Amino acid sequence: MTTDATIRVHGLEKSYNDLRVLRGVDFDVAPGSIFALLGSNGAGKTTVVKILATLLGQDAGTATINGFDVATQPQNVRESISLTGQFAAVDEILSGRENLVLVAQLRHLKNPGKIADDLLARFSLTEAGGRKASTYSGGMRRRLDIAMSLIGNPPVIFLDEPTTGLDPQARIEVWQTVKELADNGTTVLLTTQHLDEAEQLADRIAILHQGRIIVNGTLAELKALLPPATVEYVEKQPTLEEVFLAIIGDDSDSVGAHTVRDTTTNSEER
């Protein structure tokens, strides 16, 4: 645990009737970093985000955002965060610019037009700003959704599986947007079930399995949990997928050791 964490979660528990979804979740997120909460469907990722966003109460444990307790200081927490869900929450009847202006007006901010124009430029949507959001591609719509979440400059943003349903190119666009958020000082908590997404984006990765964080570290630290690669000619580092499956286990128990295929050929075979 760090002393200057923007997000701090300790002993978080949540049950739905007899179903224990969270069984004592602990993690910290450093300021201006991207923290990936990685897990399969039903692991409890969205439940964690809902508790942190004050949309759901926990049964036990504590969580603070910017020093504010999510249970006892929910209003302060809400003023510190923004949440982007699994599907873009844009009004398709309005243009991209009108969506942004509307949110700025609802937040009672000055100069909503300038705020909208600045965000359109920041997210490379200026040329599309006058078009209805219904004409946007999946990547453009998601970028607009994230732009709307940033109105008011929240220091913390939660992205709950932000690339759900997007094609590969749109995913890359969203990845770049997320990296830029952290570069500009925003603390990002990202939930995903896509291993490559966590590998591409996160400064730290926590694997949530059966309601608990079973490992938490940098990509290099997670890779170091596996035995060294068997080296014949070229060393092959483990992928995050291999780390993930080795930690949580699978039915075949086929993960846990990895070898390197010899791709060389001798001169007689060429």
Side-chain angles (χ1 to χ4, degrees):
M1 296 289 180
T2 60
T3 58
D4 60 346
T6 298
I7 302 172
R8 174 166 291 158
V9 176
H10 178 68
L12 212 59
E13 297 182 14
K14 182 65 181 178
S15 297
Y16 298 101
N17 297 321
D18 295 331
L19 177 62
R20 295 185 66 192
V21 179
L22 303 180
R23 300 167 179 258
V25 173
D26 301 274
F27 63 84
D28 283 358
V29 182
S33 68
I34 301 174
F35 183 91
L37 193 58
L38 180 65
S40 307
N41 279 333
K45 304 185 301 298
T46 297
T47 298
V48 171
V49 169
K50 285 183 176 180
I51 292 173
L52 295 180
T54 73
L55 299 176
L56 185 67
Q58 69 265 39
D59 297 333
T62 60
T64 59
I65 310 291
N66 264 6
F68 300 114
D69 188 281
V70 300
T72 61
Q73 299 170 292
Q75 185 58 39
N76 299 98
V77 170
R78 291 169 192 153
E79 292 172 355
S80 302
I81 67 170
S82 188
L83 168 63
T84 297
Q86 295 183 19
F87 302 97
V90 302
D91 190 323
E92 296 188 351
I93 297 176
L94 301 179
S95 69
R97 188 177 189 276
E98 288 170 341
N99 270 280
L100 294 167
V101 168
L102 177 61
V103 174
Q105 290 174 334
L106 290 173
R107 290 181 176 268
H108 306 290
L109 300 177
K110 297 179 179 179
N111 301 318
K114 184 179 186 304
I115 292 172
D117 292 337
D118 289 346
L119 285 168
L120 288 171
R122 177 177 173 182
F123 286 89
S124 303
L125 292 170
T126 299
E127 292 185 3
R131 287 166 36 200
K132 287 186 177 183
S134 60
T135 68
Y136 285 13
S137 68
M140 293 170 65
R141 196 172 304 184
R142 177 54 86 183
R143 295 206 312 273
L144 176 62
D145 192 31
I146 295 174
M148 292 164 61
S149 298
L150 293 181
I151 292 175
N153 297 314
V156 179
I157 185 169
F158 301 126
L159 301 176
D160 189 16
E161 302 198 22
T163 60
T164 296
L166 298 185
D167 60 48
Q169 180 58 40
R171 291 181 70 205
I172 292 172
E173 292 176 5
V174 173
W175 289 356
Q176 185 59 40
T177 298
V178 175
K179 290 176 181 177
E180 290 173 0
L181 290 177
D183 289 342
N184 289 324
T186 303
T187 302
V188 179
L189 190 152
L190 168 80
T191 74
T192 184
Q193 56 181 310
H194 299 297
L195 305 178
D196 58 337
E197 189 158 271
E199 192 166 7
Q200 286 286 332
L201 294 177
D203 298 301
R204 293 187 69 83
I205 301 166
I207 296 179
L208 182 63
H209 183 59
Q210 296 182 347
R212 292 188 176 92
I213 300 291
I214 55 175
V215 68
N216 182 349
T218 65
L219 179 60
E221 290 169 345
L222 266 58
K223 287 183 175 182
L225 295 175
L226 289 186
T230 300
V231 180
E232 296 177 359
Y233 292 95
V234 179
E235 182 178 353
K236 177 182 179 292
Q237 293 296 323
T239 66
L240 181 58
E241 181 176 5
E242 289 172 321
V243 174
F244 178 81
L245 293 175
I247 290 171
I248 70 170
D250 66 357
D251 294 336
S252 65
D253 291 329
S254 61
V255 179
H258 54 285
T259 59
V260 177
R261 184 179 61 183
D262 180 7
T263 58
T264 61
T265 58
N266 60 40
S267 59
E268 294 179 354
E269 295 173 328
R270 291 174 181 163

